[in-house]
Amino acid sequence: MIATLKFTTLLLAVVVCWATQDYGYKDVEEPTLGDSQYGSLWPLPQKVQMSTVAFKLSGASFQIVDAKESSSGASCSLLQNAYRRYDEYIFPISRMQGQNKKKAFASDVSELQVWITSADSECDSYPSVTSDESCECPGMMFVFLVGALSLETFSQLVYDDEYGAKSINRTEIQDFPRFAHRGLLLDTSRHFLPIKVILANLEAMAWNKFNVFHWHIVDDHSFPYMSRTFPQLSQQGAYHPYTHVYTPSDVKMIIEFARLRGIRVVSEFDTPGHTQSWGKGQKDLLTPCYSGTSPSGSFGPVNPILNTTYDFMTMFFKEVSTVFPDAYIHLGGDEVDFSCWKSNPDIQKFMAQQGFGTDYSKLESFYIQRCVASVRHGLKVKQMISNSLKADTLIHVWKGNQQQYQAEMARVTASGYQTLLSTPWYLNRISYGQDWQAAYKADPQDFNGTDAQKKLVVGGEACLWGEFVDATNLTPRLWPRASAVGERLWSDKDVKDTNDAYSRLIQHRCRMVQRGIPAEPLFTGYCAHEYKGV
Amino acid sequence: MIATLKFTTLLLAVVVCWATQDYGYKDVEEPTLGDSQYGSLWPLPQKVQMSTVAFKLSGASFQIVDAKESSSGASCSLLQNAYRRYDEYIFPISRMQGQNKKKAFASDVSELQVWITSADSECDSYPSVTSDESCECPGMMFVFLVGALSLETFSQLVYDDEYGAKSINRTEIQDFPRFAHRGLLLDTSRHFLPIKVILANLEAMAWNKFNVFHWHIVDDHSFPYMSRTFPQLSQQGAYHPYTHVYTPSDVKMIIEFARLRGIRVVSEFDTPGHTQSWGKGQKDLLTPCYSGTSPSGSFGPVNPILNTTYDFMTMFFKEVSTVFPDAYIHLGGDEVDFSCWKSNPDIQKFMAQQGFGTDYSKLESFYIQRCVASVRHGLKVKQMISNSLKADTLIHVWKGNQQQYQAEMARVTASGYQTLLSTPWYLNRISYGQDWQAAYKADPQDFNGTDAQKKLVVGGEACLWGEFVDATNLTPRLWPRASAVGERLWSDKDVKDTNDAYSRLIQHRCRMVQRGIPAEPLFTGYCAHEYKGV
């Protein structure tokens, strides 16, 4: 995928051998792409003009190649990886090889030329929130112009005609994402997710043009992140010290797999709450809770009154910032239970010293400010995402009902913060029936605010919290429900016809199934190629 | 599994080499089986006495063998198949082979002797509703006495000690099922289920001591059953004429796979409603609906006024009765929409001739009576299950809320009918959280009625209707939620401690995962061996 290429304009040119006379074409009166005029495209590009003029892709001759003019090509492994992937998607059955078999007919598309126009192709660097995913259309016939992830779009245009021949209709596309941050949260603490489950879902994310994997890597339940600086954190805090951990190599592999697909990996290390598992391997990190005048033996949130806490955080996040190349770190920061802090006499004394009275949210703010300062100190360049208004950067809104989150979006943006929405996209919450529609209808800019406020919305994230999912059921529970969020975050805000979406999504889901992802059915019906993985 | 063996008493004797002195034992103070005193047993046997005296199963020497006194043995392939299966479950990692490696210690269990005491072992016949699944306990030490499916129970007693050695505690078990009919409904019409999905779920059914696969094979949406007599039914009515059908060989394979696991296959061919797919391949079978005075082009339920309908049904069910060896056929019979019948002038005329007035339920009764008569005529020996009181045999209750189904169970049994319950076990209905508990708490004998009425309850069925499930998500959605129903139908009615059940079910679920079934998690946590199939 080309999402990670930095460019001003990305061109994918399909050069076809064709005669100027009409008889060279095969006119398809009714496109066999389904009921939507947009076939199986998902998410819908910003502008699509699909004609009924169809061409065939010869399995014997079709190739994805670097355009002569392209600034990037054979030496760009990211690009070559993408060619290989999409060649296999388009021709899932091994096709005839050999140059001498090439025999292109007048109505054949012989090659897809990929033309990267930017000087800095980002071939060897990481995608970022400022990666340009847009494109322009020069208005040429047979030129497919798509933004980042354009090979995915191209592959979605290919369909089987009535004889099973790979075909594509002449189509002009202009594309760019509505939001720069299109994330998916997976939680590897409540249940450990084997690496191949994560990789499979990164693959599916790319098909749906998600570009941020929000890795909620640790939490109360387990600490599967293997830290080189503090190895005892996972040795003591993981469900199992080596079968249920992510080693540095595992993390590196996941980041590289994501990079090749234009996906950023934003790690989350949530503090000061949600840290029970941290306490097992790091003495004195958590607050000892008291029962009356003596310690109860249980522990609460991170202890905010000790300097050792901040020394630890500085060193820990320094490591994290080298392991995860993304410019952002997610600091969590939600759901801090004050009862343990309240029970602890040392904390009470500290509160009095600081003049916080009995307002423990002031202590929480104190921790977050100092933690952010420590983290900043440790890593300098990193930016923060947080669930708390006390942080000073991107605010992630993920609580409340519709009315509440809309009010929160208004408040956050009125205060000048950039924001991300997740509340309507808690995909771990399930209900009987077609609940993808509710996710599809939610819009992150749907709140009372000025245009300037709306511009502060950088996107959103679908969240699959891990209480009830693991390797056995995560993938079908996520797809194609997350696809609904994918289109909402990519396509134009006026793309909201659920009938049209349904028609395209059914096909998109079957495409995911055919490519090996067990995306669950939307309703009754069938795919030509049912899931074979069971 | 031995569920299909007809016997008065089934004995599984574990013969161990042991010294009479106590030092030969390894006393386990705290059983490592988990929090429940019953370890990971699921469903809970009727009587269990588990001691803390533990023995090891040597991978090099342990064997499942036919007892010398057994009436069935080496020539019974059903039994030999079960030995192989359970040997692999108990020792999932290939173990050392070779007679010379045998070295049994004093505290080792060297073999499990399977002692079939009945004269008719049912080795080569099919399980039935009267198959004896009970057992008796002679009170001998080290003798495991379990009912049908006893190898499963034995395998559930085996656990890894702290050194990873396969171990088993001395345990006495008396067992028999509370209900004779413990069913699971799968729907292969709304979505086609590949054969291996069905086989995998039959396997899981056996682990949960289900003994009836209720195969809702056809419905409105598709007709995947390939009929030899009327091949056009699936040619026209299946989603695809050969990729989405069950051939006679497929059906035979499924029945045999089930038989080897003590599971009956009860087929359902639902009429007169739910038959849209039948109409595609069978002209004049369905009622033409009218719009005003002319046919609208759409069709309603089976046409009850034509003799050809009953000729067809006679021939069709005659075939079905030879294909499916079980004594029961399920006739469906629910949710008949009268609007099409009402619109049709020929039906109106017939109603008048018969003196039915405008009571279309009388027409439905007419159809069902005549259909049952036809089916009976065609197959003689078959018994019927139906959703409708108009049938004359086993009534399947599957509608309404709790109050309504309990009233219905009371009414049905008061009328002297045998009955099956499904209402509380519609597992296709999902909600967020631990919904297995609601399924677990429902009891089919929980209604106002006499003891005689309660005895008419022959069991129940968990149903997984197919609107939203196919090969991608069916198995994790079903397990371990269906396990809750499995225990309710097998164990004593007083087994209803959800805490104890939870502790056992967590382990039972991990066991299913280890054996290759993607049973979804009940809550946070982990299995020592996570699902590897993704």
Side-chain angles (χ1 to χ4, degrees):
Chain A
M1 220 141 297
I2 320 186
T4 54
L5 304 181
K6 198 160 214 166
F7 42 63
T8 48
T9 312
L10 170 72
L11 300 183
L12 286 187
V14 174
V15 176
V16 293
C17 308
W18 64 291
T20 44
Q21 294 87 339
D22 268 340
Y23 58 77
Y25 308 151
K26 179 182 168 246
D27 277 295
V28 181
E29 287 300 320
E30 289 179 275
T32 52
L33 302 177
D35 298 319
S36 168
Q37 61 169 310
Y38 302 116
S40 68
L41 284 171
W42 193 278
L44 197 65
Q46 298 291 337
K47 281 191 189 163
V48 186
Q49 276 204 304
M50 203 179 283
S51 82
T52 56
V53 180
F55 300 90
K56 289 206 179 66
L57 276 68
S58 159
S61 63
F62 176 79
Q63 283 189 311
I64 305 173
V65 298
D66 305 306
K68 220 169 36 196
E69 307 86 341
S70 185
S71 63
S72 225
S75 67
C76 176
S77 70
L78 183 148
L79 216 44
Q80 302 303 321
N81 259 288
Y83 295 175
R84 179 175 63 194
R85 221 157 54 237
Y86 281 93
D87 193 284
E88 286 171 5
Y89 289 154
I90 295 168
F91 297 101
I93 300 157
S94 64
R95 51 188 174 123
M96 284 181 292
Q97 292 294 328
Q99 300 298 315
N100 56 353
K101 293 243 169 81
K102 274 196 180 182
K103 198 168 127 188
F105 292 98
S107 60
D108 280 358
V109 176
S110 62
E111 55 186 31
L112 171 67
Q113 294 193 357
V114 177
W115 184 1
I116 310 296
T117 58
S118 68
D120 174 12
S121 63
E122 276 190 8
C123 264
D124 301 308
S125 60
Y126 293 95
S128 76
V129 74
T130 58
S131 290
D132 186 353
E133 300 173 304
S134 74
C135 72
E136 277 176 35
C137 174
M140 289 166 61
M141 280 174 74
F142 314 118
V143 174
F144 293 82
L145 291 181
V146 287
L149 312 167
S150 13
L151 286 176
E152 175 61 33
T153 308
F154 178 82
S155 76
Q156 294 186 359
L157 289 168
V158 178
Y159 64 96
D160 291 350
D161 74 5
E162 65 257 57
Y163 303 104
K166 298 291 168 193
S167 307
I168 190 165
N169 285 24
R170 198 174 74 194
T171 305
E172 295 192 21
I173 285 177
Q174 262 193 299
D175 208 7
F176 53 87
R178 180 173 167 211
F179 295 107
H181 187 118
R182 305 178 304 281
L184 175 69
L185 176 148
L186 295 181
D187 168 0
T188 56
S189 172
R190 291 177 176 84
H191 285 101
F192 180 78
L193 299 177
I195 292 167
K196 64 178 174 179
V197 172
I198 296 177
L199 299 185
N201 282 283
L202 285 167
E203 193 82 272
M205 281 173 69
W207 304 338
N208 289 276
K209 296 194 169 67
F210 281 96
N211 67 350
V212 178
F213 167 34
H214 175 166
W215 193 351
H216 187 86
I217 191 166
V218 301
D219 204 296
D220 279 335
H221 306 78
S222 74
F223 196 102
Y225 172 75
M226 186 182 145
S227 161
R228 283 190 198 275
T229 321
F230 302 100
Q232 70 277 21
L233 286 170
S234 61
Q235 259 165 23
Q236 303 297 323
Y239 281 134
H240 186 282
Y242 51 85
T243 64
H244 288 66
V245 299
Y246 302 104
T247 67
S249 312
D250 296 339
V251 173
K252 206 178 275 182
M253 193 202 301
I254 286 166
I255 292 169
E256 178 64 5
F257 191 93
R259 186 184 79 83
L260 290 174
R261 286 153 184 83
I263 298 171
R264 300 162 47 204
V265 178
V266 173
S267 60
E268 177 182 354
F269 290 88
D270 188 0
T271 64
H274 289 276
T275 47
Q276 287 295 306
S277 69
W278 301 52
K280 293 181 182 168
Q282 187 64 19
K283 207 170 159 297
D284 297 334
L285 181 65
L286 304 187
T287 308
C289 312
Y290 275 66
S291 176
T293 55
S294 52
S296 69
S298 67
F299 294 88
V302 164
N303 192 331
I305 66 170
L306 300 180
N307 287 330
T308 52
T309 292
Y310 301 99
D311 296 343
F312 167 82
M313 290 295 171
T314 303
M315 287 175 72
F316 181 75
F317 278 101
K318 188 166 186 174
E319 173 187 316
V320 165
S321 76
T322 59
V323 169
F324 292 92
D326 199 78
Y328 284 79
I329 287 180
H330 201 301
L331 297 178
D334 66 327
E335 299 179 331
V336 182
D337 178 6
F338 295 149
S339 59
C340 181
W341 280 350
K342 286 179 186 170
S343 77
N344 182 303
D346 297 328
I347 302 269
Q348 289 161 9
K349 201 185 299 171
F350 185 83
M351 291 282 288
Q353 285 168 356
Q354 297 286 328
F356 291 164
T358 56
D359 185 354
Y360 283 83
S361 69
K362 286 187 179 161
L363 183 59
E364 185 187 356
S365 293
F366 171 86
Y367 167 79
I368 290 177
Q369 298 295 347
R370 212 174 145 185
C371 182
V372 165
S374 305
V375 173
R376 275 269 160 71
H377 179 71
L379 35 113
K380 300 268 196 290
V381 299
K382 290 281 165 172
Q383 290 179 275
M384 315 289 156
I385 309 177
S386 169
N387 308 119
S388 159
L389 275 176
K390 285 95 190 174
D392 61 350
T393 47
L394 187 51
I395 308 294
H396 194 175
V397 174
W398 56 10
K399 276 192 185 170
N401 58 28
Q402 185 179 12
Q403 202 181 2
Q404 288 165 331
Y405 80 69
Q406 288 176 347
E408 180 75 357
M409 294 291 282
R411 195 160 54 241
V412 167
T413 53
S415 306
Y417 292 108
Q418 285 193 308
T419 183
L420 282 176
L421 180 65
S422 277
T423 312
W425 298 319
Y426 265 39
L427 300 182
N428 49 304
R429 300 211 153 261
I430 53 170
S431 57
Y432 191 56
Q434 298 207 31
D435 63 356
W436 69 272
Q437 295 189 11
Y440 190 72
K441 284 173 186 160
D443 193 300
Q445 287 178 328
D446 190 9
F447 61 85
N448 286 326
T450 62
D451 283 356
Q453 278 177 269
K454 302 290 170 85
K455 278 187 188 140
L456 289 169
V457 179
V458 295
E461 292 189 355
C463 298
L464 195 71
W465 294 100
E467 280 84 351
F468 299 104
V469 289
D470 68 3
T472 62
N473 62 344
L474 182 143
T475 309
R477 186 161 294 187
L478 190 52
W479 307 104
R481 294 163 73 232
S483 304
V485 185
E487 176 150 303
R488 179 56 52 237
L489 294 173
W490 178 278
S491 305
D492 188 83
K493 72 174 180 356
D494 292 331
V495 175
K496 51 190 180 188
D497 177 343
T498 48
N499 287 331
D500 184 78
Y502 183 50
S503 161
R504 288 181 290 112
L505 190 52
I506 284 173
Q507 299 177 68
H508 180 55
R509 178 251 162 180
C510 282
R511 179 169 48 230
M512 290 195 276
V513 168
Q514 189 172 5
R515 290 177 182 179
I517 287 288
E520 68 178 19
L522 293 163
F523 197 49
T524 58
Y526 71 106
C527 297
H529 302 93
E530 300 289 1
Y531 184 58
K532 294 281 192 298
V534 174
Chain B
M1 220 140 300
I2 321 185
T4 54
L5 304 181
K6 199 161 214 163
F7 41 64
T8 49
T9 312
L10 169 72
L11 300 183
L12 286 188
V14 174
V15 177
V16 292
C17 308
W18 64 290
T20 45
Q21 296 87 339
D22 268 338
Y23 58 77
Y25 306 151
K26 180 183 167 244
D27 276 295
V28 182
E29 286 300 320
E30 287 180 277
T32 52
L33 302 175
D35 298 319
S36 168
Q37 60 170 310
Y38 302 115
S40 68
L41 284 170
W42 193 278
L44 196 65
Q46 299 290 336
K47 281 190 190 164
V48 186
Q49 276 203 305
M50 202 179 284
S51 81
T52 55
V53 181
F55 300 91
K56 290 207 177 68
L57 275 68
S58 159
S61 64
F62 177 79
Q63 283 189 312
I64 305 173
V65 298
D66 304 307
K68 221 168 38 195
E69 307 86 340
S70 184
S71 63
S72 225
S75 66
C76 176
S77 69
L78 183 149
L79 216 43
Q80 302 304 321
N81 260 287
Y83 295 175
R84 179 175 61 194
R85 221 157 53 238
Y86 281 92
D87 193 283
E88 286 169 6
Y89 290 153
I90 295 168
F91 297 100
I93 300 158
S94 65
R95 51 190 173 123
M96 286 182 289
Q97 292 293 327
Q99 299 301 313
N100 55 355
K101 293 245 169 81
K102 274 195 182 182
K103 198 169 128 188
F105 292 97
S107 61
D108 280 358
V109 176
S110 63
E111 55 186 31
L112 170 67
Q113 294 193 358
V114 177
W115 184 1
I116 310 296
T117 57
S118 68
D120 174 13
S121 65
E122 277 189 7
C123 263
D124 301 307
S125 60
Y126 294 94
S128 76
V129 74
T130 57
S131 290
D132 186 353
E133 300 173 303
S134 73
C135 71
E136 278 175 35
C137 172
M140 288 165 60
M141 280 174 74
F142 313 119
V143 173
F144 293 82
L145 290 180
V146 287
L149 312 167
S150 11
L151 286 176
E152 175 60 33
T153 308
F154 178 82
S155 76
Q156 295 187 359
L157 289 169
V158 178
Y159 64 96
D160 291 350
D161 73 7
E162 65 257 55
Y163 303 104
K166 297 292 169 193
S167 308
I168 190 165
N169 285 24
R170 198 174 75 194
T171 306
E172 295 191 22
I173 285 176
Q174 261 193 300
D175 208 7
F176 52 87
R178 180 174 167 208
F179 295 108
H181 186 118
R182 305 178 303 280
L184 175 70
L185 177 149
L186 295 181
D187 168 0
T188 56
S189 173
R190 291 177 176 85
H191 285 100
F192 180 78
L193 299 177
I195 293 167
K196 63 178 174 179
V197 172
I198 296 177
L199 299 187
N201 282 283
L202 285 167
E203 194 81 272
M205 283 174 69
W207 304 338
N208 290 275
K209 296 194 168 68
F210 280 97
N211 67 350
V212 178
F213 168 35
H214 175 166
W215 193 352
H216 187 86
I217 189 166
V218 302
D219 204 296
D220 280 334
H221 306 80
S222 74
F223 196 102
Y225 172 76
M226 185 182 146
S227 162
R228 283 190 197 275
T229 320
F230 302 100
Q232 70 278 20
L233 286 170
S234 61
Q235 259 164 24
Q236 303 297 322
Y239 280 134
H240 186 282
Y242 51 87
T243 64
H244 287 66
V245 299
Y246 302 103
T247 67
S249 312
D250 296 339
V251 173
K252 207 178 277 183
M253 193 202 301
I254 286 166
I255 293 169
E256 178 64 5
F257 191 92
R259 185 185 80 83
L260 290 175
R261 286 154 184 82
I263 298 170
R264 300 162 47 203
V265 179
V266 173
S267 60
E268 177 181 354
F269 290 88
D270 189 0
T271 63
H274 289 276
T275 48
Q276 288 295 305
S277 69
W278 302 52
K280 294 180 182 167
Q282 187 65 18
K283 206 170 160 297
D284 296 335
L285 181 65
L286 303 186
T287 308
C289 312
Y290 275 66
S291 177
T293 55
S294 53
S296 69
S298 66
F299 294 87
V302 164
N303 192 332
I305 67 171
L306 301 180
N307 288 329
T308 52
T309 291
Y310 301 99
D311 296 342
F312 167 83
M313 291 296 172
T314 304
M315 287 175 72
F316 181 76
F317 278 102
K318 188 167 185 172
E319 173 187 316
V320 165
S321 76
T322 60
V323 170
F324 293 92
D326 199 79
Y328 283 80
I329 287 179
H330 201 302
L331 296 178
D334 66 328
E335 299 178 331
V336 182
D337 178 7
F338 295 148
S339 59
C340 181
W341 280 350
K342 286 179 184 168
S343 76
N344 182 302
D346 296 328
I347 302 269
Q348 290 161 8
K349 201 184 298 172
F350 184 83
M351 290 282 287
Q353 285 169 357
Q354 296 285 328
F356 291 165
T358 55
D359 184 355
Y360 283 83
S361 69
K362 286 186 178 159
L363 182 59
E364 186 188 355
S365 294
F366 171 86
Y367 167 79
I368 290 177
Q369 299 294 349
R370 213 175 144 184
C371 182
V372 166
S374 304
V375 173
R376 276 269 159 70
H377 180 72
L379 33 116
K380 298 271 195 287
V381 298
K382 290 282 166 172
Q383 291 179 274
M384 315 290 156
I385 309 177
S386 169
N387 309 117
S388 158
L389 275 175
K390 285 94 190 175
D392 60 351
T393 47
L394 188 51
I395 308 294
H396 193 175
V397 174
W398 57 10
K399 276 191 186 171
N401 58 28
Q402 186 179 11
Q403 203 181 2
Q404 288 166 329
Y405 80 69
Q406 288 177 346
E408 181 75 357
M409 294 292 280
R411 194 161 55 242
V412 166
T413 53
S415 307
Y417 292 109
Q418 286 193 307
T419 182
L420 281 177
L421 181 64
S422 278
T423 312
W425 299 318
Y426 265 39
L427 300 183
N428 49 304
R429 298 211 154 262
I430 52 171
S431 58
Y432 191 57
Q434 298 207 32
D435 63 355
W436 68 273
Q437 296 190 10
Y440 191 72
K441 285 173 185 159
D443 193 300
Q445 287 179 327
D446 189 10
F447 60 85
N448 287 326
T450 62
D451 284 356
Q453 278 177 270
K454 302 291 170 84
K455 278 188 188 141
L456 289 168
V457 180
V458 295
E461 290 188 355
C463 298
L464 195 72
W465 294 101
E467 280 84 350
F468 299 104
V469 288
D470 69 2
T472 62
N473 62 345
L474 181 143
T475 309
R477 187 160 294 188
L478 190 51
W479 307 103
R481 294 163 74 232
S483 303
V485 185
E487 175 149 303
R488 180 56 52 238
L489 294 173
W490 178 278
S491 305
D492 189 82
K493 71 175 178 1
D494 291 331
V495 175
K496 51 189 178 188
D497 176 343
T498 48
N499 287 331
D500 185 78
Y502 183 49
S503 162
R504 287 181 290 114
L505 190 53
I506 284 173
Q507 300 177 67
H508 180 54
R509 178 252 161 180
C510 283
R511 179 169 47 230
M512 291 195 276
V513 168
Q514 188 172 6
R515 290 177 182 177
I517 286 288
E520 68 179 19
L522 293 162
F523 197 48
T524 57
Y526 71 106
C527 297
H529 303 93
E530 300 288 3
Y531 184 58
K532 295 279 190 299
V534 174

